[in-house]
């Protein structure tokens, strides 16, 4: 096991990249997970189907999951996503063989320990790899100019939304097979490999805007490829149940000029069109003025028109602070309006079968056993 060292610590000020190199004319980035508890087999299917992927991003962190990891860590458990072993056991053999880098925020409250777990899994599989970590630390000012003996990860459970810069720095320095982060703005997980591979700099605001658009479209996984498009009462969004079963996670082709095409695997189920792209963009609540989507095929949509903010550099960074405020123990989804019964029955079909078994759990278990 490699000893953890803190070779570089930076403040939050973004500094221009020095002579950034363009490594590729195009980079292919896939979304392997869109939320905590997503399906590892869907990520493996994307890797199998799309051989040109340079990166696959596992976006598995949110405010709720961060709070859960903090609570678990405070009780002596793991501060990172407890499913990381399952994910890496399934994805590492194919990803390392293909040269596809895995970027994930499954590090949550304790990304350093997550790195150790990934190295442990890789060792058990007979795989030699490099695992880098980009995460937040608290450094007490001592005035000595030297680092303290112990750096604290997310003191008191406080975590800050980091951007793409620390991920780019890790890619430049280590060229890792796996890169684990703490809390990072979701779209930044996708933007970072674009900046690194395509030679962009932090003042290339038009390119960064396009890259951020791609990140926002990809980050929620199957929401972009029809996951919310099964509406039996709507002729424009009446995706069939069998078509939904073979839903493809999305990926994107990004050129050095900032041209973005979002895609799904050829021959897969689901749907990718103007409507799914527009729905996901609205869901992200970003500035969509000027953004247009041009379908090029049933599996490919060109995305253009993203513009930088008038104030591209924020004055403050967002922090999350976990607080105990009681319990939540009930959830409900209600359907109203035209043909609401049909839509409710479709939801029931998706969630449970007649025996009270979740079809998602059954299908994933079946596929896992079938593929070995």
């Amino acid at each position: 096991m490699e000893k953890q060292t803190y070779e570089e610590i930076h403040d939050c000020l973004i500094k221009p990249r020095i002579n950034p190199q363009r490594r590729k004319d195009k980079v292919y980035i896939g979304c392997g997970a869109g939320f905590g508890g997503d399906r590892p087999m869907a990520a493996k299917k994307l890797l199998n189907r799309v051989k040109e992927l340079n990166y696959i991003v596992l976006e598995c962190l949110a405010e709720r999951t961060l709070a859960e990891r903090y609570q678990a860590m405070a009780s002596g458990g793991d501060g990172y996503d407890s499913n990381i072993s399952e994910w890496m056991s399934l994805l590492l053999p194919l990803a390392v063989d293909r040269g596809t880098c895995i970027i994930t925020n499954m590090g949550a409250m304790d990304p350093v320990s997550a790195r150790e777990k990934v190295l442990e899994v890789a060792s058990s599989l007979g795989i030699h790899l490099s695992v880098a970590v980009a995460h937040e630390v608290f450094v007490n000012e001592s005035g000595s100019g030297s680092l303290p003996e112990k750096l604290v990860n997310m003191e008191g459970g406080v975590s800050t939304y980091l951007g793409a810069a620390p991920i780019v720095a890790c890619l430049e320095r280590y060229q890792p097979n796996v890169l684990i982060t703490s809390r990072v703005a979701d779209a930044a997980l996708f933007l970072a490999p674009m900046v690194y591979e395509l030679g962009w700099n932090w003042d290339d605001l038009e390119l960064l805007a396009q890259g951020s658009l791609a990140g926002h479209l990809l980050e929620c996984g199957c929401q972009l490829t029809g996951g919310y498009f099964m509406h039996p009462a709507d002729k424009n969004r009446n995706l069939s149940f069998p078509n939904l079963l073979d839903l493809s996670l999305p990926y994107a082709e990004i050129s050095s000029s900032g041209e973005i095409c979002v895609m799904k695997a050829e021959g897969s189920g689901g749907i990718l069109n103007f409507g799914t792209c527009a729905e996901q963009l609205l869901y992200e609540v970003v500035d969509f003025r000027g953004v247009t989507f041009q379908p090029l095929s049933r599996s490919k949509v060109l995305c253009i028109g993203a513009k930088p903010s008038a104030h591209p550099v924020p004055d403050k960074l967002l922090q999350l602070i976990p607080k105990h405020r009681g319990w939540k123990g009930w959830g409900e989804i209600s359907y109203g309006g035209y043909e609401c019964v049909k839509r409710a029955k479709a939801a029931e079909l998706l969630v449970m079968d007649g025996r009270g078994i979740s079809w998602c759990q059954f299908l994933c278990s079946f596929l896992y056993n079938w593929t070995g």
Side-chain angles (χ1 to χ4, degrees):
M1 187 71 65
E2 299 178 29
K3 183 179 179 181
Q4 174 64 34
T5 58
Y6 294 90
E7 297 185 26
E8 291 187 19
I9 295 180
H10 301 274
D11 58 28
C12 294
L13 296 177
I14 296 179
K15 302 173 180 63
R17 301 178 67 204
I18 306 300
N19 298 321
Q21 301 300 307
R22 182 189 299 175
R23 293 169 171 80
K24 301 179 186 295
D25 292 323
K26 292 182 179 179
V27 63
Y28 293 85
I29 304 170
C31 177
F35 66 97
D38 213 337
R39 306 154 298 150
M41 275 305 302
K44 187 174 182 181
K45 285 176 69 175
L46 183 67
L47 274 174
N48 274 318
R49 285 173 159 172
V50 185
K51 295 179 172 56
E52 62 264 37
L53 281 184
N54 304 116
Y55 295 85
I56 186 166
V57 175
L58 310 179
E59 199 289 285
C60 300
L61 200 57
E63 291 77 9
R64 173 186 59 81
T65 41
L66 261 177
E68 289 175 351
R69 289 300 95 207
Y70 172 66
Q71 187 176 41
M73 194 174 183
S75 302
D78 295 328
Y80 55 86
D81 191 313
S82 56
N83 295 316
I84 197 168
S85 296
E86 177 188 0
W87 280 87
M88 295 300 158
S89 296
L90 192 63
L91 299 183
L92 281 179
L94 185 57
V96 173
D97 181 64
R98 291 265 179 85
T100 304
C101 176
I102 299 172
I103 299 178
T104 181
N105 55 12
M106 296 177 87
M109 301 301 299
D110 191 7
V112 174
S113 295
R115 175 182 183 269
E116 294 171 357
K117 178 58 69 174
V118 173
L119 289 171
E120 179 184 310
V121 170
S123 177
S124 71
L125 296 171
I127 298 173
H128 180 73
L129 48 65
S130 169
V131 182
V133 179
H135 66 114
E136 175 185 9
V137 294
F138 286 83
V139 181
N140 295 324
E141 295 290 343
S142 63
S144 63
S146 61
L147 295 179
E149 292 184 4
K150 183 176 179 62
L151 297 174
V152 180
N153 298 344
M154 283 74 81
E155 185 174 25
V158 177
S159 56
T160 306
Y161 277 83
L162 303 179
I167 303 176
V168 174
C170 271
L171 292 172
E172 288 177 331
R173 186 176 181 89
Y174 302 110
Q175 294 85 51
N177 303 101
V178 179
L179 199 159
I180 302 171
T181 75
S182 55
R183 192 52 170 128
V184 172
D186 296 344
L189 295 164
F190 299 87
L191 179 63
M194 302 178 210
V195 173
Y196 169 69
E197 296 285 359
L198 302 175
W200 296 352
N201 215 326
W202 301 119
D203 58 356
D204 294 324
L205 300 182
E206 298 281 340
L207 298 175
L208 296 178
Q210 277 289 101
S212 297
L213 170 63
H216 281 300
L217 291 172
L218 292 173
E219 67 177 81
C220 290
C222 291
Q223 286 186 193
L224 183 65
T225 51
Y228 281 171
F229 247 58
M230 188 179 182
H231 295 264
D234 186 342
K235 66 180 181 180
N236 296 313
R237 296 192 295 171
N238 190 12
L239 189 65
S240 70
F241 180 68
N243 201 10
L244 201 60
L245 286 177
D246 190 32
L247 207 62
S248 169
L249 283 161
Y251 68 104
E253 173 192 85
I254 307 99
S255 72
S256 58
S257 64
E259 183 175 284
I260 306 292
C261 288
V262 292
M263 293 180 277
K264 70 182 186 72
E266 290 289 344
S268 64
I271 185 171
L272 178 66
N273 60 19
F274 178 95
T276 63
C277 291
E279 186 176 72
Q280 175 59 19
L281 190 62
L282 287 170
Y283 174 84
E284 289 297 319
V285 198
V286 298
D287 187 348
F288 50 83
R289 291 173 295 182
V291 174
T292 60
F293 302 113
Q294 299 176 10
L296 303 180
S297 72
R298 294 175 64 89
S299 301
K300 188 174 186 178
V301 175
L302 175 67
C303 313
I304 58 176
K307 299 297 180 185
S309 167
H311 305 285
V313 180
D315 296 323
K316 299 178 181 179
L317 297 178
L318 178 64
Q319 283 193 326
L320 303 173
I321 304 174
K323 295 290 184 182
H324 181 67
R325 289 292 183 268
W327 298 85
K328 292 191 297 184
W330 186 262
E332 180 181 279
I333 300 176
S334 301
Y335 292 87
Y338 179 70
E339 297 285 14
C340 58
V341 175
K342 284 186 178 180
R343 288 185 281 124
K345 287 184 176 180
E348 181 183 31
L349 179 66
L350 288 174
V351 176
M352 307 293 288
D353 67 7
R355 298 165 295 168
I357 299 174
S358 164
W359 74 266
C360 296
Q361 293 175 349
F362 174 79
L363 181 64
C364 289
S365 175
F366 169 76
L367 288 173
Y368 187 84
N369 293 329
W370 180 61
T371 57

